[in-house]
């Protein structure tokens, strides 16, 4: 009895300690949500609706039902403290052509359509295809899935899977321009590169090719800053980090410049992979945050996040060494912190 009481008190103390308010973003550390659990929103996407940010991502916590693939949702008003809002979809095998149970749902992105008042989720669906794949682990399905909900916090319902513009589609990214137009970024093969493609009015289809940036890159992320578009991607090394690169263009349609590294080459983007940019336009400043994943393929739930404001402007984008930092989403100002 006494032992149980002690264990319970200890557990409570630990969760209270973790439940403390976050006053900084600590790149590469465990990032506790408001309940003290490491945030499970890998390969994620973020939208802001009024004052609230919603972060969707791959739910990878141990013990999930292996017949489903899950997308999580978190909300925050300050980008530092995140409340778990639950798993918004538990997808079952989306297509009978998928050969086995090794199929994947990766890099989910949610868009909010103000006309239809629908939340529209895009996800990368992949796996071995019956009669086509040579390996049980192949990524030959190379498609996107679209799921919808009338609430940010779900539940989402899958409505279709397809290949955008009829092309093989692997890593996906989301880009919402300052004028509100919404784009899906998707990595394509066998001609390697990524497409930036505008969504239809209702966001349910990928309507038109805006650009195809031919370069062997994935993890595509785009930001629009002071009259220039910056497109970042990682090279094709799977879960292993590499030197991510950036190109710029005056118009989304291009022409795009050559790609150059965004961090010292040997740091391999500080052991991370690009996922998206968050632009915080405040009353005093505009901060652009690089949102990257540091994957741990043998323990995906313990993969970490590398979020860090970038130095950006006049055609240059540079990721400084990630260190603890804090942001004021109202003013848009950020500063480095002395933590630990
Ligand atoms: C990476 C990709 C991840 C995941 C992984 C699987 O290249 O960015 O989202 O697909 O490969 O190996």
């Amino acid at each position: 009895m006494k032992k149980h009481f002690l264990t319970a008190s200890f557990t409570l103390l630990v969760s209270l300690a973790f439940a403390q308010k976050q006053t900084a973003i600590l790149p590469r550390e465990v990032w506790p949500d408001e309940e003290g659990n490491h945030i499970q929103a890998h390969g994620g996407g973020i939208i802001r609706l009024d004052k609230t940010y919603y972060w969707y991502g791959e739910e990878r916590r141990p013990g999930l039902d292996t017949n489903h693939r899950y997308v999580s949702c978190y909300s925050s008003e300050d980008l530092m403290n995140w409340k778990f809002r639950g798993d918004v979809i538990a997808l079952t095998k989306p297509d009978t052509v998928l050969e086995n149970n090794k199929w994947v749902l990766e890099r989910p992105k949610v868009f909010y359509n103000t006309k239809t008042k629908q939340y529209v989720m895009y996800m990368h669906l992949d796996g071995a295809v019956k009669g086509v794949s040579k390996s049980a682990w192949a990524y030959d399905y190379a498609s996107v899935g679209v799921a919808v909900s009338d609430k940010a916090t779900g539940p989402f319902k899958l409505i279709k899977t397809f290949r955008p513009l009829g092309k093989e589609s692997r890593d996906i990214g989301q880009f919402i321009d300052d004028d509100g137009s919404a784009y899906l970024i998707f990595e394509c093969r066998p001609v390697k590169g990524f497409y930036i493609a505008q969504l239809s009015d209702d966001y349910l289809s990928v309507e038109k090719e805006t650009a195809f940036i031919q370069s062997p890159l994935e993890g595509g992320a785009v930001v629009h800053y002071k009259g220039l578009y910056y497109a970042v991607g990682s090279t094709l090394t799977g879960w292993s980090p590499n030197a991510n690169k950036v190109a710029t263009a005056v118009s989304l349609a291009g022409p795009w410049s050559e790609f150059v590294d965004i961090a010292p080459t040997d740091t391999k983007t500080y052991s991370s992979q690009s996922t998206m940019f968050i632009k915080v336009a405040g009353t005093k400043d505009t901060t652009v945050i690089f949102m990257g994943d540091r994957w741990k393929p043998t323990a995906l739930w313990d993969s970490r996040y590398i979020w860090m404001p970038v130095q950006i402007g006049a055609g240059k984008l540079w990721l400084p060494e990630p260190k603890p930092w804090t942001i004021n989403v109202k003013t848009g100002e950020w500063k480095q912190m002395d933590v630990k």
Side-chain angles (χ1 to χ4, degrees):
M1 190 61 187
K2 198 171 168 200
K3 193 168 159 228
H4 282 140
F5 174 73
L6 283 177
T7 320
S9 319
F10 180 71
T11 315
L12 184 67
L13 274 178
V14 170
S15 42
L16 281 178
F18 273 115
Q20 270 176 12
K21 256 186 130 23
Q22 307 294 312
T23 51
I25 289 177
L26 311 179
R28 71 188 121 206
E29 305 291 339
V30 164
W31 192 340
D33 67 10
E34 287 184 1
E35 290 160 49
N37 300 312
H38 180 46
I39 293 175
Q40 295 296 317
H42 312 283
I46 291 198
I47 46 170
R48 183 180 178 168
L49 297 171
D50 194 16
K51 285 191 181 136
T52 308
Y53 290 92
Y54 291 94
W55 180 2
Y56 301 88
E58 297 167 27
E59 169 66 83
R60 299 287 199 174
R61 72 172 180 275
L64 291 168
D65 179 341
T66 54
N67 289 311
H68 300 291
R69 306 293 179 270
Y70 298 82
V71 176
S72 59
C73 173
Y74 293 79
S75 63
S76 171
E77 293 204 353
D78 63 8
L79 289 176
M80 295 183 280
N81 293 278
W82 292 92
K83 184 179 173 57
F84 181 48
R85 307 299 297 266
D87 291 331
V88 294
I89 193 166
L91 192 70
T92 42
K93 196 196 252 193
D95 197 322
T96 50
V97 303
L98 286 161
E99 169 121 56
N100 54 40
N101 197 24
K102 301 188 201 305
W103 61 278
V104 296
L105 183 174
E106 294 179 339
R107 297 181 176 263
K109 310 283 177 244
V110 172
F111 298 84
Y112 177 63
N113 190 297
T114 49
K115 287 181 200 139
T116 62
K117 311 243 179 298
Q118 253 188 341
Y119 295 82
V120 181
M121 179 190 293
Y122 277 76
M123 60 191 97
H124 169 205
L125 295 174
D126 228 319
V129 173
K130 289 176 188 161
V132 171
S133 298
K134 298 201 176 74
S135 145
W137 295 94
Y139 272 35
D140 285 329
Y141 190 58
S143 299
V144 294
V146 175
V148 294
S149 171
D150 54 13
K151 288 210 299 282
T153 50
F156 283 79
K157 192 175 177 326
L158 186 79
I159 53 169
K160 58 179 168 179
T161 74
F162 62 99
R163 286 189 162 176
L165 308 173
K167 313 277 180 193
E168 289 184 26
S169 167
R170 292 193 170 77
D171 280 3
I172 59 166
Q174 96 185 103
F175 173 59
I176 300 169
D177 208 342
D178 298 334
D179 65 3
S181 42
Y183 300 84
L184 184 76
I185 302 165
F186 63 94
E187 190 250 315
C188 188
R189 302 183 198 174
V191 181
K192 296 187 177 119
F194 55 77
Y195 279 90
I196 302 172
Q198 192 159 5
L199 301 184
S200 58
D201 268 358
D202 60 7
Y203 291 0
L204 301 181
S205 345
V206 176
E207 195 163 76
K208 88 167 202 285
E209 169 182 336
T210 305
F212 175 60
I213 311 183
Q214 193 175 339
S215 189
L217 296 172
E218 60 183 6
V222 171
V223 65
H224 189 184
Y225 184 82
K226 294 195 177 160
L228 271 185
Y229 292 91
Y230 296 76
V232 165
S234 70
T235 57
L236 309 175
T237 56
W239 300 118
S240 310
N242 55 61
N244 293 189
K245 298 178 190 318
V246 63
T248 57
V250 173
S251 149
L252 257 193
W256 288 86
S257 69
E258 290 297 305
F259 280 93
V260 294
D261 290 353
I262 66 164
T265 314
D266 56 0
T267 70
K268 302 188 172 169
T269 324
Y270 299 100
S271 299
S272 71
Q273 183 186 21
S274 51
T275 290
M276 77 173 270
F277 287 105
I278 309 165
K279 185 159 93 170
V280 182
T283 50
K284 296 198 177 143
D285 208 352
T286 295
T287 292
V288 174
I289 304 163
F290 171 84
M291 178 178 161
D293 289 283
R294 178 178 284 188
W295 299 107
K296 278 196 197 170
T298 52
L300 279 169
W301 59 89
D302 194 31
S303 299
R304 306 293 170 85
Y305 308 100
I306 303 287
W307 283 24
M308 191 66 201
V310 291
Q311 294 160 4
I312 185 169
K316 303 254 183 303
L317 185 152
W318 187 251
L319 176 67
E321 188 183 345
K323 297 214 173 117
W325 58 284
T326 187
I327 187 157
N328 179 331
V329 295
K330 288 195 191 77
T331 65
E333 295 166 305
W334 74 278
K335 61 175 192 290
Q336 215 137 299
M337 297 279 282
D338 293 322
V339 182
K340 289 198 268 183

